[in-house]
Every structure is written in C-alpha cells, then in structure tokens.
Amino acid sequence: MSQDSQHGKWTISDSEDEDNIIPPTPQKDSNKPSIKPDLERKPDTVTTFFKQERKLSPKRNEDTHSVKEPSAPSMGSEARKAAHVNQTLPVKYESHPSPSVKRKRETEEAGWNLSSSDDETPPPAPKKEPKKSDVSPKKKKTEDKRPPSPHGTSYYKEEPADFFETNLLSMNDMYRFYLNKVTGIPKKFNTGALHIKDILSPMFGTLKESVQFNYCFDIPWMVEQYPPEFRKMMLLWYEEGFRVIILTSNLIRADWYQKTQGMWMSPLYPRLPEGSPGTAGESPTNFKSDLLEYLEAYRAPELAEWIDRIKQHDLSETRVYLIGSTPGRYQGPAMEKWGHLRLRKLLSEHTKPVLNEERWHVLGQFSSIGSMGLDKTKWLAAEFQRTLTTLGKARKSLTSPETQMLLVYPSVENVRTSLEGYPAGGSLPYSIQTAQKQLWLHSYFHGWHADVTGRSNAMPHIKTYMRVSPDYTQLAWFLVTSANLSKAAWGALEKNNTQIMVRSYELGVLYLPSAFNMSTFPVEKNVFPASSSSKGFPVPFDLPPQHYSSKDQPWIWNIPYTQAPDTHGNIWVPS
C-alpha cells in the first residue's frame, strides 16, 4: 500500500521485520564508474577458521522447542548483509544533476546482475556457432578490481607506524573494554584504543591459531592484519594460552576505518594442569560454561577442537557475564538462556535496587532497528523495558512511575557531517518500510554525539545498553553487544509468555558492579588518552544524550537525501 508522510509518498511492504527488507539498489551519476565492493571472496590459503553467523528462518512450527538450522549458513539479516556486501553508493552533488543510471549487480566476481526475484534463474545463454574471422583475437579483458570503498580506490590511507600501539602501558585492564582506532581524528583519542592489527600483534602473545565468528569477511584484507609470522590459522590461541575477543565490527576494512566500534578483550587464559577436573577454570560469572554452551549451539563439527581447548584452560579471572542469542523457540528453563530474558535473569540475580530507582534512565544505543509493532506496548515498553529496568528481585508496583528510556541513533545530519559522509549510512540499515509503521518510536531518539571520545563524526556500529543515574555520573550496569534494537536479536515472547523466539546469533558481555566489588560504576569523564590507573567506565558517547531537535530525522537508508552534500560533496540517491 502507499501512504503520504513527512518523508514523501512511499510504498509500504507487508514485512513485519527489518530482516526481510530487500536492500536498496542506489543510483549513480552516469559520468562516474560503478563501484563494486569485494567483500566476500572465499578463503584461499588462509587456515584461520572463519565462521559465518546464521539466522533462523521465519517459517517454523511454533510448538516445537528445538529448531532445525538452515542447511546452508547465511550472512545474518538481509539488512546487515546488504549494509556491507551491497554497499550503497554516493552521487556527486550538482546544481543541475545529470541523468543517473542504475547500478547493475552480477553474481560473478566482476559485478552483479539483479533479477526481479531473488529466486529467479536466468535463462541459459543461446548456443552460438563458431565462425571464422580474419580479425585478430581480442585481448583478454582485464578483470576489474572492486574498490574497497564507495569513495573509490584512493579513499583508504595507510596508517603511519605511530598509529598503532607499541606497548600495553596505556591499556586499562580493569574493565577490558576498548574502542577501535579511528582514522582522521586527533591522536590523543586513539591512545589506548585498538586496531585489529594491535589485537593480533605479538604484544598480546605468540599467536598460533584463531577462529573468527562474524557476518562479513574481506579475507585478503583480514590476512594483511596478521603479523607475517602469525598468518597461519576471534578465539585466539597462543603458545602462552588462549584469549577471547568479543567485538561489534565485521572483518572488513570499512568497519575498522572511520566507524565507532567496541570490544571486550579477555585476559590471557593459562592452560590448566594436566588431570584437572572438568569444572576447573570456571569464573565467578560462569563465563566458561556459558561460552562453551554458546559454541555448542552452533552444532558445527569444526568447532569441536576449539571447545576441547577451552575446556583445558583456566578462565577464572573473567569478570564479565556472557549474553548470547541463538536461533530457536525456547520454553521452560531454557527461556532464560538466551536473549533479553538471559539479561533479565542476570540483572535479577546479581544487582540490587537503588534509591529513586525509577529516576535511573535506561539507555540503548544501536546501529539498526527492527519492527517494534504498532505502538510501544507491543514489545519495546513491555517485555523489553521490563528486562532493562530489572534491578534485583524486587517487584515494581503498578503505581510506580515509568522509567525513562533513551534511545541513541544517528540523525540524517549526524550521517551527512560524518567522516565518511552519506556512505556511513550504508551500515545503518533502518528502512522506510519499517520506519513508517512505527513513527511513535522516533520520539525516543537522541542523536550521536561523542566528543568525550573524539568520535562524534565516526558513525557508530557499536551497540551498547546501560542503566544510568539521574545525573549521568554512575552506571548500574553496562552491556556491549552485537544485538541491535530488534525482536530478532533479543527475542520476543509468544504463547501467552510461555515461549520466547530468537531469530539470530548475537553475543555480548555484561558488566555488573558486583563482579568488581563495587556498588556502581563511575562514568569516566576523560576517556582519552586512556590511562591504566583510571577507575571510571569509558562510556563511548556523551552523557546526557541530546534529544533530536525539531529539524532532526532518524537516518533512513533507502530514501534520497539531495538537499545538501555530505563532507565529500556527495548526495544520497537510492532507487
């Protein structure tokens, strides 16, 4: 159906979830060459194990507890996949734009051919009779190399040697929460942040093998990030032990260049003595058994060796809790193993009520948004808010004032003025089809401002959730995760709240003050340059967040923005 709105007239699909939206095919200035990002070439001689994430097909029997996985792994949601594999392209701003042409998609290495249906099989090419010719044979066409950025081949610059960390002196190992390095911001805001090259460097150990779980891989670029002596085989196995990295970035160059990302890096876990019992090496947060359960949920034979390795190591120094999502429908005790009910359980068991609790804000920050329903009572302000407002086992009375929920998501102006310009919006896949069905949600939105970390112009791909005091100086808890604001990621209750359905794999870590012998976390006011002696928690953006102005609109990736050019002189014209 069609409807008019503040965004113009748009056709609304029947999809009830962001994951089913077909990504936009943008238009390109006819005078400019098409850009074909090379993001998914198969590994050649690299022996690192790359595990692609999968999502649950929506067609499932609601009465079944166990769910059969799809036979072939997918890249996760269509929106996430498209944000990287099918990056939308900018158009140069002109006072009198020239006619634009549609970009073709081909399934082959040279480009893309996009049919009207994803399942449509192209007709076979007619056979041609060979004919003789006196004309000398044409030279073999040189295969186009896909530029790695919508801005062209010269956009990415090689970072100087002093861009990377040379020692661990500035690293704060209290929380072990780090932001990524961002190209194009002052050096002090990168001191103590990590690039993937830092993570894989000898500073952290003599790397022997690794396994990477992610949605998108650029294998040639990824291999270049390993030190030459470590390009063999992000579980990281060292001669000295084993380490876990849980991060929000894909393994492609764009995600590590000018976006805001976050990660948790574990301590180096030593090997247990021979003959240790199976329960040895567990942490007070139950991290070891939770990690093993998450890996076993993949049902991937390739992971068996890694599961055995983890069992042989001492993870007792871990002070965070694992929050995972795995596809399926769960009932009974299994409901609390995954998604937002897992978070609710931990907040109930390991936190305590605080004074004037209702005045402590719930804050969510994310880079994509799914379908929330016709109004806030369908999911967001019902089951999800109940989870995020849980503090201890105390039950709220029906007369308790409602806790304020603040949602941080980039505005159009945030994206336009970012380091990447409009192409940054290719990783913020909120569609007009979904947005038009939940205009009520936009009243919750606050812009992306991160002066405290020097990243106001580095659009977020990080996802964080927290409970913050009325004066924004204390945290009751903090979560960094891959889970965006969607029912697919967090799960949704079904069958009169006796069953929860989760549709995607997600992973994050939860920081609770009790695990650090603290009552709350103080918010760090001076995040950079990082200091090893700091006790404050490094929230990656400014507090309090700034509510959208009357002129602000949330970034929607499949509508045009032509009124003003971005920082690179481009406009945004998807089709």
Side-chain angles (χ1 to χ4, degrees), residues 64-65 326-332 334-335 338 498-502:
T64 24
H65 168 67
T326 61
R329 283 186 166 94
Y330 304 97
Q331 297 175 342
M335 291 176 68
W338 313 109
T498 63
Q499 176 174 285
I500 189 169
M501 179 190 180
V502 181

Side-chain angles (χ1 to χ4, degrees), residues 511-572:
Y511 291 85
L512 296 180
S514 57
F516 293 79
N517 297 315
M518 302 166 74
S519 56
T520 59
F521 295 127
V523 174
E524 179 59 52
K525 295 180 179 179
N526 301 300
V527 178
F528 289 108
S531 169
S532 59
S533 60
S534 173
K535 303 300 180 186
F537 198 94
V539 176
F541 51 90
D542 297 343
L543 297 177
Q546 297 179 28
H547 197 278
Y548 277 12
S549 72
S550 59
K551 296 181 180 180
D552 281 330
Q553 294 291 334
W555 170 262
I556 295 173
W557 78 327
N558 59 342
I559 63 175
Y561 300 102
T562 60
Q563 297 303 307
D566 67 8
T567 49
H568 298 272
N570 296 318
I571 57 174
W572 188 253

Side-chain angles (χ1 to χ4, degrees), residues 217-270:
F217 300 100
D218 177 351
I219 303 298
W221 175 83
M222 184 66 201
V223 172
E224 289 176 4
Q225 308 316 305
Y226 286 84
E229 65 269 29
F230 293 162
R231 294 175 195 173
K232 303 164 188 176
M233 291 218 43
M234 194 181 262
L235 301 174
L236 304 177
W237 183 34
Y238 304 90
E239 289 183 3
E240 302 87 351
F242 151 77
R243 195 187 299 275
V244 182
I245 314 268
I246 296 175
L247 66 172
T248 64
S249 47
N250 287 283
L251 298 178
I252 58 177
R253 188 168 190 177
D255 271 26
W256 292 85
Y257 197 64
Q258 290 182 324
K259 300 184 191 300
T260 299
Q261 308 276 11
M263 70 198 83
W264 171 79
M265 178 184 287
S266 77
L268 183 63
Y269 298 131

Side-chain angles (χ1 to χ4, degrees), residues 309-325:
R309 283 177 184 163
I310 294 171
K311 291 177 179 177
Q312 297 166 11
H313 285 78
D314 182 359
L315 278 62
S316 61
E317 292 299 310
T318 312
R319 295 205 275 182
V320 295
Y321 294 84
L322 201 66
I323 304 278
S325 291

Side-chain angles (χ1 to χ4, degrees), residues 103-355:
R103 177 171 60 119
K104 287 187 176 180
R105 293 174 58 189
E106 297 173 357
T107 55
E108 300 302 322
E109 188 68 10
W112 295 315
N113 273 326
L114 181 61
S115 69
S116 58
S117 167
D118 286 342
D119 299 320
E120 184 178 327
T121 304
K127 292 183 179 179
K128 294 183 179 180
E129 292 295 326
K131 55 182 180 181
K132 297 179 180 180
S133 172
D134 295 331
V135 181
S136 58
K138 292 182 179 179
K139 291 183 179 180
K140 187 177 179 181
K141 183 179 178 181
T142 304
E143 183 180 303
D144 293 335
K145 184 176 180 181
R146 296 178 178 182
S149 164
H151 294 297
T153 54
S154 62
Y155 182 68
Y156 293 120
K157 307 297 182 186
E158 291 300 320
E159 292 83 3
D162 63 358
F163 182 79
F164 304 101
E165 298 296 303
T166 56
N167 58 65
L168 304 179
L169 296 178
S170 63
M171 306 301 293
N172 188 325
D173 61 2
M174 178 176 177
Y175 299 113
R176 311 195 71 84
F177 172 64
Y178 308 104
L179 297 182
N180 65 308
K181 290 184 182 294
V182 173
T183 298
I185 65 175
K187 184 177 179 179
K188 78 167 188 175
F189 292 113
N190 279 326
T191 303
L194 292 176
H195 188 273
I196 191 168
K197 193 166 287 188
D198 296 319
I199 294 171
L200 300 171
S201 76
M203 283 193 302
F204 293 106
T206 310
L207 190 62
K208 295 174 69 176
E209 293 180 30
S210 68
V211 57
Q212 308 285 350
F213 296 74
N214 224 303
Y215 283 88
C216 297
F217 300 100
D218 177 351
I219 303 298
W221 175 83
M222 184 66 201
V223 172
E224 289 176 4
Q225 308 316 305
Y226 286 84
E229 65 269 29
F230 293 162
R231 294 175 195 173
K232 303 164 188 176
M233 291 218 43
M234 194 181 262
L235 301 174
L236 304 177
W237 183 34
Y238 304 90
E239 289 183 3
E240 302 87 351
F242 151 77
R243 195 187 299 275
V244 182
I245 314 268
I246 296 175
L247 66 172
T248 64
S249 47
N250 287 283
L251 298 178
I252 58 177
R253 188 168 190 177
D255 271 26
W256 292 85
Y257 197 64
Q258 290 182 324
K259 300 184 191 300
T260 299
Q261 308 276 11
M263 70 198 83
W264 171 79
M265 178 184 287
S266 77
L268 183 63
Y269 298 131
R271 192 178 180 91
L272 289 165
E274 290 291 333
S276 296
T279 56
E282 185 56 277
S283 72
T285 61
N286 219 43
F287 184 88
K288 184 174 185 178
S289 58
D290 289 337
L291 177 62
L292 290 171
E293 186 173 19
Y294 180 78
L295 294 176
E296 288 164 354
Y298 277 88
R299 297 194 285 277
E302 306 96 320
L303 291 176
E305 183 179 0
W306 278 89
I307 288 172
D308 287 339
R309 283 177 184 163
I310 294 171
K311 291 177 179 177
Q312 297 166 11
H313 285 78
D314 182 359
L315 278 62
S316 61
E317 292 299 310
T318 312
R319 295 205 275 182
V320 295
Y321 294 84
L322 201 66
I323 304 278
S325 291
T326 61
R329 283 186 166 94
Y330 304 97
Q331 297 175 342
M335 291 176 68
E336 296 182 324
K337 286 186 175 182
W338 313 109
H340 78 83
L341 291 188
R342 160 74 172 165
L343 175 59
R344 185 185 298 181
K345 175 181 170 67
L346 292 175
L347 293 178
S348 173
E349 294 178 348
H350 302 288
T351 65
K352 295 179 180 178
V354 294
L355 188 63

Side-chain angles (χ1 to χ4, degrees), residues 449-491:
H449 302 281
D451 290 347
V452 69
T453 58
R455 285 160 171 75
S456 288
N457 299 118
M459 289 299 94
H461 191 257
I462 190 175
K463 296 91 176 161
T464 56
Y465 301 81
M466 66 198 81
R467 189 78 185 269
V468 60
S469 64
D471 63 358
Y472 297 94
T473 64
Q474 303 290 322
L475 301 177
W477 54 267
F478 181 92
L479 171 68
V480 58
T481 176
S482 64
N484 275 303
L485 187 67
S486 76
K487 292 183 285 186
W490 285 104

